[in-house]
Amino acid sequence: IRNLSTRLKEISFITEVSKPKIYFSNQGAQINLVVKKRKASTANGIIGLTQDENTGELLVTGDAKINLINAFNKGESLKLQWRKLQNNSQEVYSTINTPYIFNTPFGIAANINLFRSDTTFAQQSISGSVLYGLSRGNFFNLSFYYDASQIITTTNYLDAITLPPFADVTTRGIGIGLKTNKLNYKFNPRSGYAITFNLKAGNKKIIKNPVFNESAYEGLTLNNNSYSVLFDGSWYIPIMKRSTIKLSNSTGTLINNNLFYNELFRIGGFQLMRGIDESSIFASTYSIQTLEYRILLEENSYFYLFTDLGFWEQNLNTGYLNDIPFSFGSGISFETKPGIFSINYALGQQFNNPIQLNAAKVHFGFVSLF
């Protein structure tokens, strides 16, 4: 009962009008909650500006997202996201999540992800999940997934006797995951932690492409097991009255004997490793650490300084590569009547190259609540 007000803050689509009241009678006690609906659905966009290292031209990237929350009064969420990345690459992602089916702890979710890397390859990923709700909005999930990737342009590989870094592959499997959240306020936390963990295991098949010579597949196991692990964790340590330190880690690894370039994780950019080009790093294993100092200006407004330090490796049949990039910068997010504006400025370094001011990444964001 003492924690009711805190728990109600964790529900994005309602707000507390007054403190809970308890009424006692001969039959027992009754708790009355006085709440009302509030805007929780969002439409937001981010525009990124950077300079092409080869041509010096100004490059514009984009990220647009619509997230509908409780539109049908069932606590459901529907998300649609489109991203324009480097080298004419684009990505479309959609997910739907419906919790507490028939007033039980169980829910369902479905995800579709489409990615195209210029004229090199295309990826499709489809998954369906069964969710089991735990306390405080945490949940456990069991998922079934199908991933596929195909080479788009093969004119450069006619009758090739060795495979390029790309291949046509499909993977089917199952996954388990856990999401736990104990933040004092979901949208602009000052204390607490949030953790997401996912483990997937599947059967991977390498599909023979008729363009390549049959000998290119000699020595390859065309059918084997594939595993992946993903972890995201954030911790907030309150400092003084209106500031906090955010510590976070994002780690992922792929385990398979025959990995190809078009199967790898794509990292870099505003969401993961700021100061680096969007989704420009293809990694079989990565780990990104973030240290961020925030000054909380209002409930949904804050100024921050940050640094990101990462490690990644690319372990393919065709070779091995790794790097320890880092970035630093600052930004501000402030709430106005139309929505929440944000500006982020970041500088990054890769492969011990010097930091260049003309290669800085600037992101402008806007979130509209409705």
Side-chain angles (χ1 to χ4, degrees):
I1 294 174
R2 291 191 183 99
N3 291 330
L4 277 174
S5 293
T6 301
R7 295 287 301 276
L8 288 171
K9 284 185 177 181
E10 298 170 359
I11 303 176
S12 61
F13 49 85
I14 63 173
T15 184
E16 187 179 56
V17 176
S18 61
K19 294 296 182 182
K21 295 179 175 63
I22 306 174
Y23 297 95
F24 295 93
S25 67
N26 292 335
Q27 288 75 36
Q30 176 179 315
I31 301 174
N32 282 8
L33 304 179
V34 185
V35 298
K36 67 177 181 180
K37 285 187 177 182
R38 68 173 174 179
K39 297 177 181 179
S41 297
T42 59
N44 65 294
I46 297 174
I47 296 176
L49 301 178
T50 186
Q51 190 175 47
D52 190 291
E53 296 180 357
N54 298 319
T55 64
E57 295 180 354
L58 183 67
L59 299 178
V60 179
T61 61
D63 188 331
K65 179 166 46 179
I66 296 176
N67 192 8
L68 301 178
I69 304 292
N70 197 42
F72 304 103
N73 298 317
K74 300 294 183 182
E76 79 292 336
S77 66
L78 174 63
K79 182 187 296 184
L80 178 64
Q81 183 175 9
W82 168 84
R83 303 174 68 201
K84 180 183 182 298
L85 310 171
Q86 298 291 332
N87 301 322
N88 297 318
S89 299
Q90 298 189 60
E91 183 175 22
V92 177
Y93 174 83
S94 64
T95 180
I96 184 169
N97 183 330
T98 304
Y100 307 112
I101 300 295
F102 304 121
N103 293 323
T104 69
F106 293 95
I108 56 174
N111 301 274
I112 299 177
N113 183 264
L114 306 174
F115 174 77
R116 182 185 177 98
S117 179
D118 199 10
T119 59
T120 308
F121 65 88
Q123 288 180 321
Q124 306 87 41
S125 180
I126 303 172
S127 68
S129 303
V130 177
L131 314 175
Y132 181 79
L134 306 172
S135 63
R136 295 177 63 90
N138 305 323
F139 64 84
F140 169 84
N141 73 76
L142 174 66
S143 61
F144 304 87
Y145 70 94
Y146 170 79
D147 296 337
S149 184
Q150 306 87 26
I151 302 175
I152 298 175
T153 303
T154 58
T155 53
N156 296 330
Y157 310 116
L158 295 177
D159 294 322
I161 59 175
T162 59
L163 285 179
F166 315 97
D168 300 313
V169 297
T170 62
T171 306
R172 295 176 174 87
I174 62 173
I176 57 173
L178 177 67
K179 185 174 183 179
T180 179
N181 183 322
K182 200 172 182 180
L183 301 172
N184 72 314
Y185 178 52
K186 180 179 179 181
F187 301 102
N188 188 17
R190 185 169 179 260
S191 63
Y193 63 85
I195 294 174
T196 302
F197 174 80
N198 287 284
L199 171 65
K200 296 199 300 186
N203 178 258
K204 170 184 166 180
K205 293 183 178 180
I206 301 174
I207 311 300
K208 290 185 177 181
N209 193 310
V211 171
F212 303 135
N213 192 291
E214 185 73 21
S215 62
Y217 293 94
E218 291 182 0
L220 279 180
T221 304
L222 301 182
N223 193 334
N224 59 11
N225 295 326
S226 180
Y227 308 92
S228 71
V229 180
L230 285 170
F231 171 86
D232 285 287
S234 299
W235 296 264
Y236 294 84
I237 305 170
I239 303 293
M240 297 180 286
K241 291 184 178 181
R242 302 187 63 86
S243 61
T244 186
I245 291 178
K246 175 187 176 182
L247 303 173
S248 67
N249 173 266
S250 295
T251 296
T253 186
L254 294 170
I255 304 172
N256 184 258
N257 294 328
N258 299 304
L259 282 175
F260 294 93
Y261 193 80
N262 50 319
E263 297 179 79
L264 303 180
F265 296 117
R266 302 182 299 272
I267 62 173
F270 183 75
Q271 301 296 334
L272 195 60
M273 202 69 215
R274 292 162 287 191
I276 307 299
D277 289 340
E278 289 288 336
S279 298
S280 61
I281 299 174
F282 286 72
S284 54
T285 296
Y286 70 88
S287 185
I288 310 296
Q289 285 66 236
T290 293
L291 172 63
E292 187 171 299
Y293 174 68
R294 292 185 177 184
I295 299 175
L296 308 185
L297 306 175
E298 295 177 351
E299 185 178 46
N300 292 316
S301 304
Y302 59 94
F303 169 81
Y304 59 97
L305 301 170
F306 71 86
T307 180
D308 298 329
L309 176 65
F311 166 81
W312 63 267
E313 66 177 6
Q314 189 184 100
N315 193 3
L316 306 177
N317 283 339
T318 54
Y320 177 84
L321 185 66
N322 67 43
D323 188 29
I324 304 178
F326 82 93
S327 63
F328 60 94
S330 64
I332 187 171
S333 179
F334 53 96
E335 186 175 22
T336 64
K337 287 185 178 180
I340 301 173
F341 291 88
S342 63
I343 303 173
N344 184 88
Y345 179 88
L347 291 165
Q349 182 190 59
Q350 297 184 82
F351 298 107
N352 294 321
N353 292 320
I355 296 174
Q356 297 179 341
L357 293 177
N358 60 359
K361 308 297 184 289
V362 181
H363 291 92
F364 302 92
F366 174 72
V367 179
S368 174
L369 295 172
F370 62 93

